[in-house]
Amino acid sequence: MVDFTKLEQEITNSLSKVTDLESLNECRIKYLGKKGEISLLMKELANLSGEDRKKQAEILNTLKNKTLSLIEDKTEELNDRNLNEKLSSETLDVTLPVSSSLGSIHPITQVIEEVVTIFGDLDFYVAEGPEVETDYNNFTALNTSEHHPARQMHDTFYVETQTDNMQNVLRTHTSPVQIRSMLEHKPPIRLIAPGKTFRCDNDQTHSPMFHQVEGLVIDQESNMSHLKGCLEIFLKTFFETDKLKMRFRPSHFPFTEPSAEVDIGYTKKGNQLVIGEGDDWLEILGCGMVHPKVLQNVNIDPNSFQGYAFGMGIERLAMLKYGISDLRTFFECDLRWNKHYGFSPLNFPSLIRDLS
Amino acid sequence: MKFTYSWLKEHLETEHQYSEVVDKLTAIGLEVESVQDTGLAYKDFIVGQVLEEEKHPNADKLKLCKVDIGREKVDVVCGAPNVTKGMKVVYAPVGSVIPVNQMKIKAAKIRGVESYGMMCSEYELGISNEHDGIISLEQDTEVGRSYVESSGMNDILIEIGITPNRQDCLGVLGVARDLAAAGVGKLKNREFKTEKGSFESPIKIEIQDNDICPAFAGSYIKNVKNVASPDWLQKKLKSIGLRPISALVDITNYVMFDQNRPLHVYDADKVKGKIIVRSAQDGESFKALDEKTYDLKKGMCTISDEEKVLGLGGIMGGESTGCNLDTINVLLESALFDDVNTARTGRDLSILSDARYRFERGIDPRSTLEGIHYATQLILEICGGECSEIVLAGQISETLNTIDISGKNIVKRLGLEITDDEIILILNSLGFGAKKSGESIHCTIPSWRQDICGEADISEEIIRIKGYENIPTSNIRAISKVNKDILNSNQKIISKAKHFIASEGYNEFITFSFSDSKKSSFFGEVEKLKIINPISEDLDILRPSLIPNLLTSIKKNTARGIDSLSIFEAGSQYSSTTPEDQINLICGMKYGLSHNKTWRSEKKEFDIFDAKNDLLNVINYLVPGNKKISISDEAPSWYHPGRSGKIILNKKIEIGYFGELHPRIANKFKIKSRVNLFELLIDNIPLNEKKTTNKPQLILSDFQSVTRDFAFILDKNIKSSDLIKAALNVDTKIIKSAEIFDLFEDKSLGDDKKSMAIKVVLQSEEKTLDENDINSLSSKIVEAIEKSTSGTVRS
């Protein structure tokens, strides 16, 4: 009779001494291989009979299963140890630098897209016009006759071509898009027109080229209270604060009557402007009810239709919202500036996700 | 416009604090630009009296003074030659700051003698350039009193911006009138006295052109003594930053700033014969008070005598008849000049003057006579003399314009409920004679409101006084929807393209739409792009291309030490200066290092294939779906002739160029390395108006694919596209792709030869390809390529 207890002891002992997968495999063959000790004992069962055979078979099976389980445990232990050894030899310096390959979107583009997003939600569409304009579209049709004093405030660039015997100009504002759009479409009209504008002025606070966005609404009922409502939604959404304070005060533009300038409340904290707090006022845009003469000039009956218009500087919006202090830096093309103030190309302004 | 609060109060009776008045000014459209406490700089100065004065023991030019300043007596060392015992002076105590140089007064030993404080000159206070002696105050000035209070310098200087329509507020009187209407006080009654005159003016006035000068009033005053203006008048002018000159000139200036009535005085003895108001003749010239000579043109309004031009009507007087301290007899002018003609003349001659500023905005016709009477009185008071009867040439219209407005329309325009009664009340407070007339309101427009001509103008008057803050806020979402896409297809393309290109590593630049004609002739006809009045010589044309300004920016950035630059601009360029000749495009440039040597890669420079890759990617993004893209080597002349290409969409649409900038242009811009760029012709991208959301059907084969590589020795001029085309054409169904994977040139191949290798992927949609199929296709591919390129396969 085989001493199973001894055999089990021996198996347990030899397995516990195993330190690598190779000897473990040798162990496995020694006991469980075709000619292994347990396998041979199993074969010998055939020589037994009756109760003995049954009893011994049971014992052998138990021993076999236990051995298998011990081998499995050992395998896992050895694998673990191997992996740990491998891990400790695979350490990399994760502080080594990597680089980003994304470029950037100019703050002007970003702000225009924000403005379009907000007004788009209010059912405005985007209209455009050329940067070289006729004197008529830029001034006369906008109720600014040749000798109107307001013309002198626009330091106009002139070019050598003419239309109707008048020198063409680089548009001094985006307002001529109003004229083009009203000649092309009948009311109701609800548009914004962002774009480049030009004035012959170049100093710390003026750039010969800058950007504006024009707004125009013409229908049968839009009045000054709608203008106020429209700008309130816009300014609060744009500056991303419901606390925004807004002040309308009378002003003058030849193409609107009544005309208003709009100020927003702000305070200065250190070097930064905080919009929506404080008691100081900052001029942000000009607006008013479209002058009846302008409507007449584009063959719209001012007795049936009315509406409002507004215009604001994109650079100013960008400077206030994003804390850019110098107007001239927008067009200096200093890569360091663009990388600092620019926006991720994957950032599409949205009212569902984020505006900025 | 500038005025002081005390000046305003001469016209406005008000209990309100100045700060409330200031707020109201802005609220009614007279935007306050600055408010300044004029006494602030002098607040520490005290009126003192020199009690004793003796020579400094150690200095010839200095004196030791004992000065009584009320609360005490102090020792002051003084260098002024005019200091005398008993003199009343302006004393700056220790600790005060001298306005002109911001020097802080300290107690000091001057040549061994203690001195406490200083006695000031007008120069030191910043009042005038007088620095020869210290200020000697009137003897009745109270010692110990604050100098600011006793001198009346404790005033508030207010500067307001006047919009072009508010000519009526270019005088203090007009501002007071508007404030009174807005409820912050009452306009004081002005006593208006007419001067009768005791004789007939010896100078007659003739208007030859009533269109340019409807009326001209003259007053001849004899035996005047043109002296320095009295204190009150000098102070007034100085308070708003004007330099007093002489009584005659100061009076005309005062009336202009007080009542918005420009006037002019002529030295009557220098006028030859009568005054003739006429259009200038071409070739005439005239020397104005600013000592410049102007060449006049027909149509300009001149005030002439029988010999010469004396002045430009409504703009500037002339040197020949200017008044000086010896002037004895004068002619005072108060006239009306046409606004448009004044504006045109002023602009053509580039003369800016206070008179022009006012006349081109329109002057209250009724101020013509009021002004001449008032100024004549002032001259008689200050300069003495005797005045003639007032002469009036031309006509001043007595009738006022009227307009009927509807309260309903006002409400409809303003979006504010306001009754007819309130409208009438507001209009009357502004001087509009308004009364109900049936359904409408009948308004008489006051003579000083030259800007009012329609109902819209009246609506502004009403809301200005009612207060813009009272306009309610209405929701705009509910009304008049406009069914139109927010962005049109072209706008969407530009926006998408910008973001895509930026995601390829490019930084968006915005440069001026101008460029330098001297550097831009490579790109277009610069003669057709000239700006008449450029901002500077190197920005003298509209840009014919986006390239030159971006090149300038490359130059600037590399000078700052940046060695890798990926930039793009989306904008317009021009082929002429008519509104129609503007096209939109995007230009991208990659310059310098693609990447520097890093710990895991070698240094690499950008090349044209970076530009090509980026351009093709953006085209594929912008033109989705089936399309045919072909590339030819016919890029425009500003590209390197051997390193550039043109991309054609669907066989006919030129959609973009890429390549290396022509080295000659790089040289011109002093750029040392190769510039790789692309231009995307945005306007040529077909607009997908009938957009389908369905993608083309996808057919995927389940059978195994096989790849085979082939290498060929070819002539150098053979293009990779020829190889690929030949390979693909062998069997368009089974040959899934063909790509170039190796390219090299070597002497062993021959001087004009190169080796190019192509990898072909074969896959059938019907079965697994067997050895025979593959071999047969392979031979066909080799044969086709050899045939079309005259090359030989390498074994």
Side-chain angles (χ1 to χ4, degrees), chain B residues 194-253:
Chain B
T194 53
E195 279 303 325
K196 287 274 180 311
S198 50
F199 58 96
E200 195 180 315
S201 166
I203 297 182
K204 300 284 172 275
I205 297 159
E206 179 193 329
I207 300 178
Q208 286 186 352
D209 187 343
N210 278 93
D211 289 339
I212 57 177
C213 173
F216 189 116
S219 156
Y220 185 93
I221 308 165
K222 64 184 179 188
N223 298 323
V224 296
K225 207 161 180 252
N226 191 14
V227 290
S229 294
D231 235 25
W232 69 265
L233 181 51
Q234 291 209 16
K235 236 181 226 171
K236 228 173 202 140
L237 295 177
K238 282 181 192 169
S239 74
I240 58 167
L242 291 176
R243 190 168 56 93
I245 295 164
S246 69
L248 288 171
V249 177
D250 295 349
I251 288 166
T252 58
N253 276 333

